[in-house]
Amino acid sequence: MVKRRHSSFDCAPGCAVEAAISLIDGKWKCVILFHLLDGTARFNELRRRIPAATQRTLTNQLRELELDGLVERTVYAQVPPKVEYNLSELGRSMTPVLMTLKQWGDANIGRFAATPAAA
């Protein structure tokens, strides 16, 4: 059975937020999008920038972002194969959202990076 990627929305208050979040709900999707704000990147470059993401997870998240129209994948016919990723126009429209998330994260990183106090 094929898993539905996105549900239909009832357009109640919060519907637009639910729809937007459904596109970026993967653990690394926002991070991938943020790194692609700098421009085109190859897969291994993204892997180096996001070392905590496994190769499989990064591949799956990139595929989903491509299917949702946020990322464009360009394959060059050469040996070895060359694949590049960049933001689509829709993906670039998320720039203000991603920058706001970064600013909020910068302001609150201490809440998340703190180590538990020794007992």
Side-chain angles (χ1 to χ4, degrees):
M1 181 176 185
V2 176
K3 179 181 171 189
R4 288 185 57 182
R5 292 197 9 87
H6 303 289
S7 61
S8 59
F9 304 102
D10 64 5
C11 292
C15 175
V17 173
E18 184 182 356
I21 294 297
S22 75
L23 294 178
I24 57 172
D25 67 346
K27 182 173 182 178
W28 300 108
K29 287 183 181 179
C30 284
V31 178
I32 292 167
L33 293 171
F34 179 78
H35 286 297
L36 289 176
L37 288 175
D38 293 337
T40 301
R42 294 180 68 179
F43 182 83
N44 281 331
E45 183 179 352
L46 290 170
R47 270 192 83 191
R48 282 190 298 276
R49 290 182 182 183
I50 313 169
T54 65
Q55 181 172 342
R56 181 174 186 264
T57 299
L58 186 58
T59 298
N60 289 339
Q61 302 263 288
L62 282 164
R63 285 180 184 158
E64 289 178 13
L65 287 166
E66 182 183 8
L67 285 171
D68 291 334
L70 296 171
V71 168
E72 295 172 340
R73 179 177 183 255
T74 305
V75 180
Y76 296 92
Q78 66 183 51
V79 177
K82 179 181 175 182
V83 179
E84 293 181 337
Y85 297 91
N86 59 30
L87 293 177
S88 66
E89 186 175 330
L90 181 62
R92 280 190 301 277
S93 73
M94 293 202 65
T95 299
V97 175
L98 295 167
M99 294 311 294
T100 300
L101 282 170
K102 182 190 181 309
Q103 290 169 352
W104 186 89
D106 287 343
N108 293 283
I109 193 81
R111 296 175 183 262
F112 309 106
T115 57

